[in-house]
Amino acid sequence: MLAWELPLDPARLIVAELATNAALHGRVPGRSFRLALSVVPPGTLRIEVTDTRGDRLPVSPRTTVGGYAESGYGLLLVEELADRWGVRCGPVPSKTVWAELDLVR
């Protein structure tokens, strides 16, 4: 991102969280995940992490019910830092979790 002359934060925190989730929850033995970064008009940084566990979709942390847990706050971090985030299913058996940051405010 330095080559693109873009600020590192909060993008690197979002990349770290989505990549960690893919490695922990989206891993299939013998397969890894893919990270893609792109700048799309009109000045949006798009972060995409694709893994091969399309059967395990992330759930918005605001929809889960329960007490205080020791883990599971990563997507809450993504939700707070990103301007938008979501999940795109496919092609089977994969899913892509994406987040966007508006670069122009």
Side-chain angles (χ1 to χ4, degrees):
M1 293 201 328
L2 290 175
W4 292 349
E5 297 181 7
L6 297 176
L8 292 176
D9 291 321
R12 66 177 159 185
L13 297 172
I14 294 170
V15 166
E17 180 54 39
L18 295 183
T20 299
N21 283 353
L24 291 176
H25 307 295
R27 187 175 178 280
V28 172
R31 297 186 182 177
S32 192
F33 64 89
R34 182 182 71 228
L35 168 67
L37 302 173
S38 58
V39 177
V40 295
T44 299
L45 174 64
R46 185 169 177 94
I47 302 162
E48 296 182 334
V49 176
T50 303
D51 66 49
T52 53
R53 289 295 305 262
D55 59 322
R56 297 188 70 185
L57 300 178
V59 178
S60 172
R62 300 201 189 276
T63 62
T64 57
V65 179
Y68 295 102
E70 291 183 17
S71 64
Y73 294 102
L75 283 178
L76 184 60
L77 178 71
V78 171
E79 193 170 277
E80 289 297 318
L81 294 174
D83 292 298
R84 292 163 297 287
W85 79 278
V87 181
R88 183 179 69 243
C89 295
V92 173
S94 68
K95 71 172 174 301
T96 300
V97 182
W98 57 269
E100 292 182 340
L101 293 167
D102 294 332
L103 301 172
V104 179
R105 301 213 184 247

